Amino acid sequence: MRLFRVTRLFSPQFPQELATDIPAIDSYLQQIEQELPGRKALRCQMLEEVRDHLLEHHSQLVASGESSDLAAEQVTTQFGDPIQYGRTLRRDKLIKFAKIFSISTLAFIAITLFMGWSYTPTEYPLVETPGFWTRLFVPMLNAPLFALLMSYTMSFVVVKAKPDPKSASHVYVDRKKKYAALYIVLYMSALAVIAILGIFNIGMFRNMHPLVSAAFAILSVLTVYWNRIPWNSYDLKDDTLIVRSVFRETQIPLVQIISIKVKRYWIDRFSGLDSRSLMIQWRTSTGQVQRLQLPLNDSMHNADRLQAKLYSALEHPQ
Amino acid sequence: MKTDNEQILKGLLDTLVLNVLTQGENYGFGIREALHQQLGADADVVKEATLYPLLHRLERRELLISYRQPGERGTPRKYYKITDLGRSYLRTKTAEWRKVASLLERTIFTNKD
């Protein structure tokens, strides 16, 4: 059974941008690619590293006097079995999918059962309440579907933003993704208002327990707050990090940074974009210690490079 | 005998890779070249198809971070950098290997010519 092929259904072709014009290397890359799951852009990203390796090794051999064909044969043989390598890459993705699917299925079941319970009138014992069994089983059926959609997107659709060759030290999010975040902000803001009204037994949430409405309100407000991140942008100059957020602009001289720690919040686990926050601590010229949280994720161009450069700045202060 | 040697070196590989990265950030082929230089005659143990999954595993364990930079060959090049956690793991592993080496030194190596 090669079920992973379902994930390639809409774009099964080999990504042409990976073609090297060296037949043996192209054929080798195609053999690996046949074993990979996900949409074309994701498969392309998974293959970039091996392509770079093969071409670098090939150039080295050609420079030492080997013919191009012989060098290509040699580098592909040396790399190892392409099918096996493709399967290893695929297994990583499938493990990620299985993990997210099982966690999110349980989470969705818990949320929907909790909501069902909160609607239950208190005058009946729980299992004798009209509609109890429906409320128990419908979420059991729906939850895996929601979870499947979520884990599929996070494992086989989402790709890292490419590094920007024009401005390698500028970290930003594309306009398209800003619109997507704006949609979530509007949707969750509306849900927050409905949930807050529900606390006072008004509107759609009036039959819910006030504590459940409050929990929804908090969750919605937090999601809105978190979705401000696409409007952040960061610039790493020679000696300064400039952080622009919706609320303010902060300049941090690199020599003043005393520590950088990575923190992952619960919401980061569900974004599928390797979201994390860098907790930066620095000492100002007056001796005051300040802290700033720098949210980063893979939809930001140059985000991982900024993190590496900040680590380097901390290791080798100038 | 060769197989035993390979097994030992494979067990060492994560330590060797982290050690290479203490000398500075590097990309896959660069790491392979550095390992080949260090291992000399035993370099064949480092197969590329083993090296990359190992790098990805170390990254998932947050012992490394990676970043991509625009490359000369049309696709970005992926660099690896050791983290503080990676350095501390390397220190622990080095101490463990040192203990093994010292144990061998005190037992087998002294008893045999």
Side-chain angles (χ1 to χ4, degrees), chain A residues 175-204:
Chain A
R175 191 178 293 175
K176 234 183 351 184
K177 284 173 187 149
K178 282 183 185 167
Y179 288 142
L182 185 64
Y183 171 76
I184 296 172
V185 166
L186 293 174
Y187 184 86
M188 294 310 281
S189 302
L191 190 64
V193 171
I194 292 169
I196 290 166
L197 290 173
I199 298 172
F200 304 103
N201 296 326
I202 305 166
M204 279 168 70

Side-chain angles (χ1 to χ4, degrees), chain A residues 251-262:
Chain A
Q251 299 207 2
I252 307 171
L254 296 182
V255 284
Q256 293 183 356
I257 296 178
I258 49 179
S259 78
I260 300 171
K261 288 198 169 69
V262 179

Side-chain angles (χ1 to χ4, degrees), chain A residues 45 48-49 51-53 55-57 59-60 78-79 85 92 161-163 264 304-305 308 312 315, chain B residues 25 27 29 32-33 48-49 52 56 60 62 66-70 73 75-77 80-81 87:
Chain A
Q45 204 164 74
E48 278 170 1
E49 194 171 37
R51 178 187 186 269
D52 185 56
H53 180 107
L55 289 177
E56 178 89 357
H57 197 184
S59 301
Q60 192 194 56
Q78 220 162 311
F79 200 94
Y85 183 67
D92 290 346
K162 277 192 174 177
R264 289 177 204 273
D304 45 4
R305 188 170 180 274
S312 295
E315 283 162 19
Chain B
E25 44 212 79
Y27 59 101
F29 186 72
R32 177 222 183 242
E33 288 294 274
E48 284 86 333
Y52 285 102
H56 301 161
R60 276 198 299 274
E62 299 186 354
S66 72
Y67 66 94
R68 296 186 304 157
Q69 230 168 237
R73 299 191 167 92
T75 49
R77 172 168 286 175
Y80 295 91
K81 179 171 174 55
R87 282 179 206 280

Side-chain angles (χ1 to χ4, degrees), chain B residues 38-52:
Chain B
Q38 288 178 3
L39 290 170
D42 295 309
D44 283 350
V45 176
V46 188
K47 292 266 183 279
E48 284 86 333
T50 321
L51 176 65
Y52 285 102

Side-chain angles (χ1 to χ4, degrees), chain A residues 161-173:
Chain A
K162 277 192 174 177
D164 187 341
K166 285 182 211 145
S167 51
S169 56
H170 180 50
V171 179
Y172 64 98
V173 172

Side-chain angles (χ1 to χ4, degrees), chain A residues 9 52 69 74 102 222 247:
Chain A
L9 214 58
D52 185 56
D69 289 347
Q74 208 173 318
S102 41
L222 279 176
F247 307 112

